[in-house]
Amino acid sequence: MALAQTNTTHGFGLTRALAAFGRGFIAFMDNWSQASSRMEKVKALQALSDEQLAERGLKRDDIVRYVFADRYWV
């Protein structure tokens, strides 16, 4: 009769911690880069005149809500 142990813990705690840290860091960088590019879009829209914004169906007060609408409830 053979016995097998399937729940060993040596060495895996550090590996799991490093993997979790890596996933968290990648998620942070992804969110940061998306927010950065969205802020560039906000700046570009804010640089437009009120007439140009009206042509796009926007008001100046709604720019941030428009840019981040799919990401945050503002």
Side-chain angles (χ1 to χ4, degrees):
M1 174 182 214
L3 297 175
Q5 184 176 358
T6 59
N7 58 353
T8 60
T9 58
H10 55 78
F12 291 112
L14 179 60
T15 303
R16 287 187 184 140
L18 288 174
F21 174 79
R23 286 190 302 272
F25 181 74
I26 290 171
F28 168 78
M29 293 302 292
D30 183 47
N31 287 336
W32 180 73
S33 67
Q34 286 182 15
S36 179
S37 66
R38 288 174 191 254
M39 286 308 298
E40 293 299 322
K41 187 170 183 177
V42 167
K43 289 178 186 177
L45 288 171
Q46 286 177 337
L48 297 175
S49 69
D50 289 337
E51 292 80 21
Q52 291 170 318
L53 288 172
E55 289 173 4
R56 295 175 184 223
L58 291 172
K59 290 187 264 181
R60 194 160 301 280
D61 293 340
D62 296 332
I63 291 174
V64 173
R65 184 176 298 127
Y66 170 74
V67 173
F68 287 93
D70 65 326
R71 188 76 168 149
Y72 303 105
W73 184 79
V74 181

